[in-house]
Amino acid sequence: MTWLDDNSITLADLSQEDLDLWLTTNPTWRRDLKPFIRWAVARRLTSKVTIPTKKYGLPSRSLDTDELNQQLRRCLNDDTLPLEARIIGALTCLYALPTTRIVELTTDRFHRDGDDAYLTISKHPVLLPPRLAVLIERQITSPACRTSVLQQSHTGTPGFLFPGRPPSRPRSPQTVNHYMKLHGLPGVSARNTAMMEAITDLPPIVVSDLFGIHPHTAYAWDQYAQNSWAEYFEAVQSTD
């Protein structure tokens, strides 16, 4: 309920995508949340959303690696797409960020150090690909972002990278998700695949520190990745 309040979503407006998005970063709460969701649906306090039964308690929707890379290339290189959509899509594909985290990013989290550019997602700066750094710089200098920074400077707080209406508030994750769908760009499925890629390449504690997810969540993803690879190799061997 706190998450819904923070993202300006009422219980009555809760969608299956909103619920899936929350479960992506809070998989260990799946079992505890089921009774509440059943209670709310039975009393028509929310739509007929469900918590999917899933081994290891993690979302099942994903893309294959080629699809994820294709989406990333589109975000970085397709100048016909809106600038904001390209940045949000690239952050999803590269760093497995949920929409709720992306809309909270502020302009002061981006900085350059010589020829390198960094984005502080959680506690530690993450090195950005040069193409994405250029896109973020263009966004920061855009009229909407400058207005946000100017208004926020009066209160001593940094402006949002993706300002909403009014600019003192971030965009609604629900609005952003719909916006990305309109352009056929990455959503929950892409984020799940990106998290699998990250957890395969990096230790869970590093993923937790860089991307700002709870250590328990990172370890749950690690366990899920290990079991997924074991099932894959077992399937391959059975066909030999």
Side-chain angles (χ1 to χ4, degrees), residues 18-198:
D18 295 327
L19 182 58
D20 289 347
L21 182 64
W22 189 86
L23 287 170
T24 299
T25 50
N26 299 274
T28 58
W29 283 83
R30 178 181 296 260
R31 181 180 298 176
D32 295 326
L33 188 62
K34 275 187 176 181
F36 173 73
I37 291 297
R38 286 197 298 265
W39 176 85
V41 170
R43 285 155 182 78
R44 299 181 180 180
L45 299 177
T46 189
S47 57
K48 292 185 178 180
V49 294
T50 60
I51 298 181
T53 301
K54 173 95 173 76
K55 193 177 181 181
Y56 316 124
L58 291 171
S60 58
R61 288 188 291 166
S62 63
L63 306 175
D64 62 41
T65 302
D66 289 340
E67 288 179 300
L68 182 69
N69 290 335
Q70 183 180 4
Q71 289 279 36
L72 176 58
R73 286 193 296 270
R74 186 175 173 223
C75 292
L76 294 178
N77 301 312
D78 189 349
D79 291 331
T80 65
L81 291 171
L83 178 60
E84 290 185 348
R86 295 172 67 185
I87 297 172
I88 294 169
L91 291 174
T92 301
C93 291
L94 284 169
Y95 309 117
L97 292 183
T99 310
T100 51
R101 296 283 307 285
I102 293 175
V103 298
E104 294 290 343
L105 291 172
T106 49
T107 56
D108 64 322
R109 289 186 167 264
F110 173 84
H111 77 275
R112 280 197 175 274
D113 184 1
D115 294 331
D116 296 326
Y118 298 87
L119 183 70
T120 303
I121 296 172
S122 181
K123 299 177 182 178
H124 306 290
V126 176
L127 181 65
L128 296 172
R131 183 60 177 162
L132 178 55
V134 170
L135 295 178
I136 292 177
E137 284 182 318
R138 284 172 52 191
Q139 172 66 11
I140 291 174
T141 58
S142 67
C145 213
R146 286 203 304 269
T147 300
S148 170
V149 172
L150 182 62
Q151 290 189 4
Q152 295 293 85
S153 64
H154 295 299
T155 62
T157 58
F160 291 106
L161 185 59
F162 305 104
R165 295 181 181 177
S168 58
R169 294 183 59 84
R171 293 276 184 90
S172 160
Q174 204 168 21
T175 300
V176 171
N177 288 336
H178 179 67
Y179 175 69
M180 297 297 284
K181 279 184 179 180
L182 290 177
H183 295 285
L185 287 172
V188 174
S189 297
R191 181 188 181 269
N192 291 343
T193 303
M195 182 60 76
M196 286 283 286
E197 294 276 316

